[in-house]
Amino acid sequence: MSPKRTPRTGTPDPQAPAARTEAPAPDSSGPPASASRTPSLHPVSVAELHQVAHGEHGNPHGVLGPHPHDGAVTVRVLRPLASRVVVRWQGADGSPGEAELTHEHEGIWAGLIPLADVPDYRVAVSYGPDEHVVDDPYRFLPTLGEMDLHLINEGRHEQLWTVLGARVHHYPGALGPVTGTSFAVWAPSARAIRIKADFNSWDGREHPMRQLGTSGVWELFVPDVGAGTAYKYAILGPDGQWREKADPMAQWAERPADTASKVFESDYAWGDDAWLAERAQRQPVASPMSIYEMHLGSWKKHPDGRYWSWAELAEDLPGYVADLGFTHVELMPVMQHPFGGSWGYHVTSYFAPDARFGDPDGFRLLVDRLHQAGVGVILDWVPGHFATDEWALARFDGTPLYEDPNPQRGWHKEWGSHIFNFGRREVRNFLYANALYWLEEFHADGLRVDGVASMLYLDYAREEGEWTPNIHGGHENLEAVQFLQEMNATVYKRVPGITTIAEESTSWPGVTRATAHDGLGFGFKWNMGWMHDSLGYMAREPVHRAYHHGEMTFSLVYAWSENFVLPISHDEVVHGKGSLLRKMPGDRWQQLANLRAYLGFMWAHPGKQLLFMGAELGQEAEWAESRELDWWLLDHPEHRGVQSLVRDLNATYAATPSLWARDHEADGFEWIDANDAGRNVFSFVRRGGDADLVCVSNFAAVPHENYRLGLPGAGEWDEVLNTDASTYTGSGVGNLGSVTAVDGEWSGQPASATIVVPPLATVWFRRRV
């Protein structure tokens, strides 16, 4: 189907199929103008010419490019440094023609094509003796249609990245096919915008953009520009100041410390169709989920300190994670950020994967390989605040555009960053479209939303007098609540099988309740209370734990108020907190035993699991982004033992539906004995599927012989996991593979068995079927 062709000065028919991908101006030509007189130029005032020449005209296409007038076509081009400009065309009958343009005003050249309709033409520009034949950006219709602009105005364009940013287009043409890039940016308060880029030697005078109606969108299609081109926008703000800005919608960026955006065109061929089809049928809350959280830049490094590339990570990471049995990886933010020490949580380019690792298709490769290895991908996402760098989002068009203009709502004291203006529909659109972008374009399986608590409360990290109440006089950020509900409702509608996870540290009600029932609509919430309580308990010497027994049981009071993830995240092993191993008391053997026992308890506890990288090695040193994990620890059997335990935990977990199928149901859990504080023992049963699983954790430094354990039924119970097994370099105390339960009530259970409970260990028993 041929693209709709209309005069270049018109606007595309909003019903036209090609409204977004308008082809070059018409290549048909009418009869030449009458030879009895010379047609006049399309009239433009000197004031308008001056505005265009100085980059201050809101619609340069109204002056530049082709304009049918007086029986001919006036062509104006902006070439400030040219010594000669010639326009060359091909008529509908194939006959060529050319006309020399005359310098009109401050680098603007003008002349006539003696045809009634606009042909396909090119411009030959001479700079001294050198001639360069180029296409004219100002002969092309807008690449956004009326429906796009309407949806942007309404804040409801769910695929915003397909119309804003830098997008490569390919068109036919009478003088040959045209490849170019459409640049489009939302900057409603800008007086004018120019593109500064590789293709114009970073002199934006030749490429002023046009504003499309009252949408706040500025646009320009530049022919002969393709992938890899670096660019920025020069924006004239209402204060009369020019600011150079990276593109908020850029899909690629320069490697820091360079700050320009880059044009990108993906040609990646995905190979994860089977994964996506299976994912669409999955209910994450009733599926196994054990998450390996990662900072990609410090998982492994080259000997000289360089990051591994996306491609290098794609070779090693999928096999490693799949071998350990994790169902998902969670990647700390992969979005472009200038300062490595922020770990990705101060974003400057929300639509661009981190250029430190390569181009966006390299990241697609990594996700694809993980999926083909059976591993899902969750991305950390930061919609609550953004970096202050002057070349990025801050005061983007010379006004507080993305940030809330009220400093009591727009500035994050704790993190030194700007807070998004959740009350502005276009900003909410930018954010939830960004969520969809990562889920749809990069096949991500979920988003872990950072800092949700800071978004929900107007008084977060603020003293009295430093915050403004909402319209009801409360401290809830109602606009942020609206955004989170919009985001969750939209992503779950469009991408079946994905999940969103809230890092929310307060008791806000209904974080994982459906938006239709006035909840926030998340799939899961981090259980920060469980994390703090359980780590506090484990840090104590065993002799003192009896007095803090409730720290390990309290989480079961509220375990089904939300759908929870149990997080042992990067935040717990940095900034002086020490590694997970170093949190444990005692000598080295006891530290390792405590760690193994804790992991066994964690994997059996209701909720999904998240473990930060390095804990699976028994990492001794606190995590630092500047160096890789201590892989040399695997030369030592006791650290290989921790890794082997994690592998076996994941394998047994995945094979035991009672550990995950009813995570969200109170009936899937029952205490056997929650009150054995004197012996530091906890015992409970998990139900679901064909076979119940019983977990017994002993956090005392001594074994318990002849321990009578209540069980849900008589018969054989296999000891399917023992964190004290010699294969993990434990003491080897155990139950010889199984125990036999006999009828007789004990601890509220209908049967019981006499077992041995190893010291500082967790033992799992599964009913034999």
Side-chain angles (χ1 to χ4, degrees), residues 193 328 340 471 614 713:
I193 303 181
H328 292 75
I471 58 173

Side-chain angles (χ1 to χ4, degrees), residues 192-196 232-236 242-245:
I193 303 181
R194 295 165 165 173
I195 302 171
K196 302 182 72 170
K232 279 188 176 181
Y233 297 119
I235 300 176
L236 181 63
W242 287 94
R243 296 170 175 85
E244 290 190 11
K245 294 286 188 175

Side-chain angles (χ1 to χ4, degrees), residues 186-238:
W186 178 64
S189 294
R191 287 168 47 186
I193 303 181
R194 295 165 165 173
I195 302 171
K196 302 182 72 170
D198 289 343
F199 55 79
N200 58 24
S201 301
W202 295 91
D203 183 346
R205 288 179 294 173
E206 293 183 1
H207 292 93
M209 303 177 75
R210 63 176 151 199
Q211 188 171 20
L212 299 179
T214 59
S215 66
V217 175
W218 298 73
E219 185 264 359
L220 181 66
F221 176 78
V222 183
D224 303 320
V225 170
T229 301
Y231 68 98
K232 279 188 176 181
Y233 297 119
I235 300 176
L236 181 63

Side-chain angles (χ1 to χ4, degrees), residues 451-638:
V452 171
S454 74
M455 301 168 66
L456 293 174
Y457 298 98
L458 296 169
D459 58 347
Y460 185 91
R462 297 182 189 277
E463 301 296 331
E464 186 175 352
E466 293 181 340
W467 60 281
T468 305
N470 63 34
I471 58 173
H472 304 298
H475 67 161
E476 299 84 3
N477 189 331
L478 302 179
E479 291 83 3
V481 170
Q482 179 184 357
F483 159 68
L484 291 170
Q485 291 175 325
E486 284 180 356
M487 182 275 297
N488 279 313
T490 304
V491 300
Y492 278 106
K493 174 191 71 176
R494 288 184 61 104
V495 196
I498 57 89
T499 193
T500 58
I501 305 170
E503 185 211 9
E504 205 286 303
S505 56
T506 74
S507 56
W508 184 280
V511 172
T512 60
R513 188 190 307 143
T515 56
H517 297 96
D518 204 30
L520 295 183
F522 284 94
F524 295 96
K525 170 182 173 175
W526 271 19
N527 194 336
M528 311 289 276
W530 170 87
M531 178 190 70
H532 290 300
D533 289 347
S534 63
L535 289 179
Y537 176 89
M538 293 303 301
R540 302 180 191 280
E541 294 286 346
V543 69
H544 298 137
R545 287 173 175 167
Y547 305 103
H548 301 273
H549 198 76
E551 292 179 357
M552 294 292 267
T553 61
F554 181 66
S555 59
L556 276 306
V557 173
Y558 59 87
W560 299 280
S561 62
E562 303 278 5
N563 302 326
F564 283 117
V565 170
L566 311 179
I568 301 299
S569 74
H570 65 278
D571 279 329
E572 305 314 307
V573 294
V574 75
H575 295 329
K577 295 181 181 179
S579 68
L580 187 57
L581 177 66
R582 287 292 191 177
K583 295 179 190 297
M584 305 298 166
D587 59 24
R588 176 44 51 88
W589 188 93
Q590 291 173 322
Q591 286 181 321
L592 288 161
N594 272 301
L595 173 60
R596 295 193 304 268
Y598 180 66
L599 293 175
F601 177 84
M602 174 181 174
W603 253 250
H605 190 287
K608 314 306 183 184
Q609 301 81 38
L610 179 142
L611 191 68
F612 185 59
M613 65 180 195
E616 83 280 9
L617 312 176
Q619 177 91 2
E620 295 190 26
E622 182 177 86
W623 171 63
E625 81 280 351
S626 59
R627 57 182 180 82
E628 70 173 13
L629 297 181
D630 293 333
W631 296 101
W632 56 268
L633 290 171
L634 293 177
D635 293 335
H636 300 272
E638 63 271 26

Side-chain angles (χ1 to χ4, degrees), residues 69-94:
H69 175 73
D70 196 20
V73 176
T74 299
V75 174
R76 284 186 173 90
V77 300
L78 178 59
R79 296 288 166 171
L81 303 178
S83 58
R84 181 173 182 258
V85 179
V86 174
V87 61
R88 295 174 182 149
W89 66 88
Q90 181 174 301
D93 60 359

Side-chain angles (χ1 to χ4, degrees), residues 33 37-43 67-76 111-112:
R37 65 179 183 84
T38 301
S40 62
L41 292 173
H42 175 251
H67 292 267
H69 175 73
D70 196 20
V73 176
T74 299
V75 174
R76 284 186 173 90
L112 293 171

Side-chain angles (χ1 to χ4, degrees), residues 149-215:
L149 299 177
H150 170 75
L151 291 172
I152 290 170
N153 277 338
E154 293 295 312
R156 291 303 308 165
H157 203 303
E158 294 180 358
Q159 291 183 295
L160 199 62
W161 67 92
T162 65
V163 293
L164 296 183
R167 293 156 296 111
V168 178
H169 294 276
H170 304 275
Y171 301 132
L175 293 177
V178 177
T179 292
T181 297
S182 169
F183 297 90
V185 61
W186 178 64
S189 294
R191 287 168 47 186
I193 303 181
R194 295 165 165 173
I195 302 171
K196 302 182 72 170
D198 289 343
F199 55 79
N200 58 24
S201 301
W202 295 91
D203 183 346
R205 288 179 294 173
E206 293 183 1
H207 292 93
M209 303 177 75
R210 63 176 151 199
Q211 188 171 20
L212 299 179
T214 59
S215 66

